[in-house]
Amino acid sequence: MRRALTLTLLLALTLGVSACGGSKKSSPSTSTGETKVEPANITMWTPFVDPELQTLKAVVKDFEATHAGIHVKVIGGTNDDKIVAAIRGGNAPDVAQSFSSDNTGAFCPSGAWIDLGSYMKKDGVDASIFPTAPRDYTTFEGTRCALPMLADTYGLYYNKDLLAKAGYKSPPKTISQLTAMAKKLTVRDANGKLKVVGFNPFPSWYENVPAHYGPSWGAQWMNGDKSSLNTPPWQDQLKWQKSLVDWYGYDNLVRFNAGAGDEFSASNAFETGKVAMHMDGEWRVNFIKKEAPKLNYGTAAFPVADNKQDLYGAGYVTGSIIGIPKTSKHKNQAWLLVKYLGTNTPALAKLSNGIQNVPTTSASLKSPALTPLPGFQTFLNVFGNANTTTTPITRIGAANQETFQSFISKYISGSKTDLEGGLANVDKQIDNQLEQANAGQAP
Amino acid sequence: MRAPAASPPIQLDRTAAKRRAAWRRRGIVLAFMSPWLVGFTVFFAYPLVMSAYLSFTHYDLLSSPKWIGLANYRFLFTKDQTVWPAVKNTLWFIAIAVPLQVLFALGIAVMLSRARKGVGAFRTVFYLPALAPPVAATLGFVYLLNPATGPVNTILEKAGIQGPLWFDSPQWSKPSLTLLALWGVGNTMIIFLAAVLDVPQHLYESAQLDGAGFIARVRFVMLPTISPVILFAVVLGVIEGMQYFTQAYVAANVAGGSASYSAEAANALGYPEDSTLFYPVLLYQQGFRYFNMGYASAMAMLLLAVSFAVTFIIVQNSRRFVHYQGPGR
């Protein structure tokens, strides 16, 4: 009995010591200029997996070095479902990162991620350090429960060899140029099967979602608190998309896509030269470096509608958000990490260099420490463009985008033909969803 | 005054002892039942009651539920345009795939019951697909039926036939899922086989003496005898059909591919063109993707009510064609 007791005590001691980790060596409190906090072991969840995860861990190590006493355990490969479940179960991490800025509309109003306003005020962090779009997708109805941490912007990738072979020296700047070049760059075999697709406009293929196209037509999602998809910019965008899909033949493109390889694999259709021009995010630069280093390609802002040429240079932006779940037991320490990852210029530069995502403060965007890969500068420019937009944050998360996409797939395939009537109905559905989601909320 | 004989207290004692014994017995029974009781309460009764309650609330999973009365049901029946297409998809599956599954399983069972050689091997071969996890099986089918690189279309092309787009076509996606369902009927098949083998041999012999051929023997001897098992398979099939989710979810996501990295995401649920958006898939989408758990609960309550009603109707009407053996039926 006594032996068992001794063993138990020993075990408890061992566990206790290992749980304390390195904090024994640290000073009793840590100072970061503004906030003094007690030492603590905190946890951060991130959706990143290797090799990106290693970059994040390296930056977190830098944070630990400058914040004595705070030890961070970084857990990769998580997602929003896990975060929500953990918040409900009371065992959420102290710091959570999400790839889905749409969910700001769920995290902020529910209080699931705490309001960062008072922390920012205390430490003198002003939201104006972020450009407009990331500033917008991290707040909801006046509550800022998240900071942006790296962004994704979209542009055009083009295969220089294929363009040169077809006699083109530069990428298209307008949609009509894109269309003409796409047709000329397309190669079919003797049976009419698509071998090379100039530009693949098939809905929902790879990055082909309306959110990414909208900015090139100056299209808006909402007018006030009503959905505004039945408007000329969206109509023009969809008419163009359908006419180009029809030019290839809908079934031909479906067959091409089915054999085109996974988007996030070395058999990506752009990386293997099956697609000559391509809409994609800035991360592709890094993927190409690893998966297709010999690909001779260039990047440019995505072409714009012929009647919106002043928009050239703009694009779509979205990004990761980072915040503190309400169940965190070390909110002060968590805030220091959130602040570091969201606002510290060297940290953002290091993250951007390692992951090749866009850094999210105006200062870090100009940091001399940035070492962008060739082609990456395009995306930094898109990010800084005043006309670059993001999708509005609503209580229904991505439901509006998905309802829209559902209609688009039917319109492009030809199973729905009435564009205006269809779009008006999509608007109605989204307004109904918004109304339904707002039921039970304080007026 | 002298006290009378102490018989009443003794009687009381006996009654009390009996009562104690009865309680003890009840206690023992309860103790033996407790694993089931706990399981039933925690995993069935509580979620059911909570789901019913939540269906009258707005609940985003993150903040506490807010009572909104019948608003979720009003939205469900009058405003949500995705519900009816999802119901139609589910009805399609119940009307086409479920009867085919029953017929297919019964057909294999009858054939196996007549096999003379290698019965064990055949039984294993036909049962084996049922052991494949649904996700793995679906992945396999999406690969086999890939319109561009899949072996099925490659072989068809060699034979000069342009294969269909399978999981990439709104006309073919449900038939493709049906093929997958037929491939995995092993469990139903085994039950049918046991029932078919259980048909008393003397009934066949009597029928044969009366001049009944194979078809007549199946029609008048085998089918009536195994009709309770057919009813069981149909009811189970219909209930599973109403809850059909995993295969549809996986097939849509894999065949649809999606802009998943940036997570604002092309939504592949229902791909292509909502043709695989079955009712439970829609329910999942509302509850877990849109944080609309109150509404999803209302959808779940409707599913429960419909499942209950359909099962009730089938069982009620089954008396006409189900034949139970034994006295008193």
Side-chain angles (χ1 to χ4, degrees):
Chain A
M1 182 69 196
R2 252 175 74 182
R3 214 173 136 214
L5 196 71
T6 322
L7 269 174
T8 317
L9 271 173
L10 267 173
L11 191 68
L13 266 173
T14 324
L15 284 174
V17 168
S18 53
C20 290
S23 63
K24 288 199 150 210
K25 285 179 234 151
S26 59
S27 58
S29 73
T30 182
S31 164
T32 57
E34 303 90 350
T35 312
K36 278 190 198 314
V37 296
E38 292 299 309
N41 294 331
I42 62 173
T43 310
M44 174 182 180
W45 284 7
T46 170
F48 282 125
V49 289
D50 283 340
E52 284 98 337
L53 183 60
Q54 292 310 320
T55 304
L56 176 63
K57 281 185 172 170
V59 174
V60 168
K61 273 233 151 25
D62 296 345
F63 167 81
E64 288 176 326
T66 50
H67 296 74
I70 303 180
H71 296 273
V72 187
K73 188 174 173 193
V74 181
I75 295 173
T78 60
N79 58 38
D80 286 14
D81 283 354
K82 287 184 190 160
I83 295 173
V84 169
I87 292 173
R88 285 160 49 73
N91 52 4
D94 300 288
V95 175
Q97 184 201 350
S98 159
F99 278 170
S100 186
S101 53
D102 293 316
N103 287 341
T104 301
F107 292 142
C108 284
S110 62
W113 286 17
I114 63 168
D115 186 352
L116 300 176
S118 56
Y119 291 95
M120 291 174 70
K121 204 168 164 193
K122 200 166 69 187
D123 285 2
V125 178
D126 196 280
S128 62
I129 62 170
F130 308 113
T132 320
R135 197 163 58 210
D136 286 351
Y137 65 66
T138 42
T139 55
F140 183 73
E141 291 178 355
T143 305
R144 166 170 296 285
C145 71
L147 296 187
M149 179 193 141
L150 299 179
D152 295 321
T153 57
Y154 293 78
L156 183 80
Y157 285 76
Y158 57 95
N159 186 316
K160 284 184 178 168
D161 291 343
L162 291 178
L163 258 68
K165 225 161 81 183
Y168 294 112
K169 289 195 180 84
S170 55
K173 286 190 166 179
T174 63
I175 290 299
S176 54
Q177 288 169 5
L178 174 74
T179 313
M181 287 172 73
K183 290 178 180 175
K184 203 169 166 193
L185 285 160
T186 297
V187 181
R188 297 172 203 251
D189 71 6
N191 301 323
K193 232 186 204 174
L194 293 163
K195 301 303 277 177
V196 176
V197 167
F199 178 86
N200 188 344
F202 197 84
S204 295
W205 184 75
Y206 285 15
E207 295 299 324
N208 285 345
V209 290
H212 301 168
Y213 281 109
S216 290
W217 275 262
Q220 301 290 324
W221 288 83
M222 304 283 287
N223 184 7
D225 55 0
K226 294 274 182 206
S227 175
S228 63
L229 301 174
N230 189 22
T231 44
W234 285 118
Q235 291 161 6
D236 292 348
Q237 190 260 304
L238 292 176
K239 280 180 200 159
W240 162 78
Q241 199 172 358
K242 177 157 176 58
S243 69
L244 190 53
V245 168
D246 288 348
W247 182 81
Y248 289 107
Y250 183 88
D251 282 11
N252 292 339
L253 269 184
V254 173
R255 282 177 213 280
F256 174 84
N257 295 345
D262 265 4
E263 181 183 4
F264 294 102
S265 75
S267 53
N268 175 292
F270 180 72
E271 293 179 16
T272 53
K274 284 184 191 164
V275 163
M277 296 182 292
H278 192 52
M279 138 88 75
D280 215 336
E282 83 293 333
W283 63 78
R284 183 62 53 197
V285 170
N286 205 21
F287 280 77
I288 294 174
K289 184 185 160 201
K290 285 183 193 137
E291 294 168 351
K294 288 185 184 149
L295 187 72
N296 183 18
Y297 76 101
T299 61
F302 196 76
V304 290
D306 292 64
N307 59 354
K308 296 277 169 59
Q309 294 195 26
D310 52 322
L311 290 178
Y312 187 74
Y316 177 71
V317 58
T318 181
S320 290
I321 56 175
I322 181 169
I324 306 172
K326 64 180 175 185
T327 51
S328 164
K329 289 180 184 69
H330 304 288
K331 293 192 176 72
N332 290 332
Q333 294 85 344
W335 160 245
L336 292 181
L337 179 60
V338 168
K339 186 173 75 167
Y340 185 80
L341 293 174
T343 68
N344 185 292
T345 303
L348 281 165
K350 191 168 174 177
L351 282 168
S352 171
N353 291 338
I355 302 174
Q356 292 291 309
N357 277 185
V358 179
T360 25
T361 59
S362 304
S364 60
L365 212 51
K366 294 180 200 117
S367 165
L370 282 183
T371 52
L373 290 171
F376 194 80
Q377 187 60 41
T378 298
F379 298 95
L380 296 176
N381 297 345
V382 169
F383 185 75
N385 189 293
N387 289 317
T388 288
T389 53
T390 186
T391 26
I393 302 298
T394 66
R395 259 183 224 278
I396 56 174
N400 54 344
Q401 297 177 45
E402 294 180 358
T403 306
F404 191 21
Q405 278 161 227
S406 164
F407 168 73
I408 291 174
S409 66
K410 290 169 197 152
Y411 171 69
I412 303 282
S413 76
S415 57
K416 293 242 162 130
T417 48
D418 177 9
L419 180 59
E420 287 185 29
L423 285 175
N425 191 39
V426 173
D427 279 335
K428 195 171 124 194
Q429 282 184 64
I430 293 173
D431 288 342
N432 284 342
Q433 287 167 350
L434 285 166
E435 188 193 345
Q436 201 268 342
N438 285 324
Q441 308 299 334
Chain B
M1 205 176 86
R2 189 187 280 209
S7 58
I10 287 171
Q11 214 166 10
L12 264 179
D13 270 0
R14 274 194 195 145
T15 323
K18 267 189 188 166
R19 212 174 285 155
R20 271 202 301 277
W23 273 114
R24 205 177 305 129
R25 266 202 307 280
R26 276 182 210 141
I28 289 168
V29 170
L30 265 180
F32 274 111
M33 280 176 68
S34 61
W36 180 85
L37 275 179
V38 168
F40 177 81
T41 316
V42 173
F43 296 110
F44 189 80
Y46 173 74
L48 188 68
V49 171
M50 270 315 276
S51 184
Y53 162 68
L54 289 175
S55 72
F56 297 104
T57 66
H58 178 85
Y59 180 42
D60 61 9
L61 287 171
L62 293 164
S63 37
S64 47
K66 295 182 191 87
W67 186 266
I68 52 169
L70 289 171
N72 285 328
Y73 289 95
R74 262 201 303 279
F75 186 70
L76 177 60
F77 288 113
T78 61
K79 286 188 173 165
D80 191 346
Q81 295 183 25
T82 52
V83 169
W84 181 234
V87 168
K88 274 202 286 194
N89 286 332
T90 298
L91 286 178
W92 187 102
F93 199 78
I94 292 172
I96 312 255
V98 172
L100 280 177
Q101 266 177 296
V102 172
L103 284 177
F104 194 63
L106 184 59
I108 298 174
V110 171
M111 283 199 287
L112 282 180
S113 72
R114 293 174 62 83
R116 308 213 165 190
K117 278 185 183 167
V119 181
F122 278 120
R123 243 183 256 169
T124 313
V125 166
F126 282 107
Y127 179 70
L128 220 51
L131 294 176
V135 173
T138 315
L139 288 174
F141 263 67
V142 174
Y143 165 78
L144 286 172
L145 299 178
N146 182 307
T149 55
V152 173
N153 273 17
T154 311
I155 292 168
L156 285 175
E157 204 177 318
K158 291 233 163 81
I161 303 166
Q162 168 97 299
L165 298 176
W166 300 112
F167 286 106
D168 290 286
S169 146
Q171 286 79 37
W172 279 93
S173 57
K174 281 191 286 282
S176 306
L177 286 170
T178 307
L179 282 181
L180 171 62
L182 291 181
W183 177 75
V185 288
N187 284 328
T188 322
M189 186 270 293
I190 284 287
I191 297 170
F192 275 135
L193 183 60
V196 169
L197 290 174
D198 212 29
V199 178
Q201 204 59 34
H202 64 86
L203 292 181
Y204 285 130
E205 283 162 8
S206 316
Q208 208 163 4
L209 284 176
D210 286 343
F214 173 69
I215 303 285
R217 286 203 299 274
V218 168
R219 166 80 182 78
F220 295 108
V221 177
M222 191 194 83
L223 284 182
T225 319
I226 67 164
S227 56
V229 179
I230 297 178
L231 174 70
F232 168 78
V234 168
V235 170
L236 219 64
V238 168
I239 292 176
E240 277 172 10
M242 278 192 267
Q243 297 174 353
Y244 192 68
F245 175 81
T246 311
Q247 291 86 341
Y249 178 88
V250 175
N253 274 303
V254 178
S258 62
S260 52
Y261 185 84
S262 45
E264 95 284 352
N267 172 30
L269 288 184
Y271 175 86
E273 297 181 41
D274 296 343
S275 62
T276 61
L277 192 73
F278 295 92
Y279 189 82
V281 178
L282 183 65
L283 195 158
Y284 166 83
Q285 185 179 42
Q286 285 289 348
F288 294 100
R289 284 183 61 91
Y290 298 166
F291 301 102
N292 210 353
M293 192 50 87
Y295 182 58
S297 298
M299 291 183 68
M301 292 324 285
L302 178 67
L303 180 62
L304 177 74
V306 172
S307 305
F308 196 75
V310 170
T311 311
F312 184 75
I313 291 168
I314 296 176
V315 172
Q316 280 294 308
N317 285 292
S318 69
R319 291 198 182 135
R320 279 192 277 134
F321 54 85
V322 173
H323 166 84
Y324 291 98
Q325 282 182 302
R329 302 302 293 255

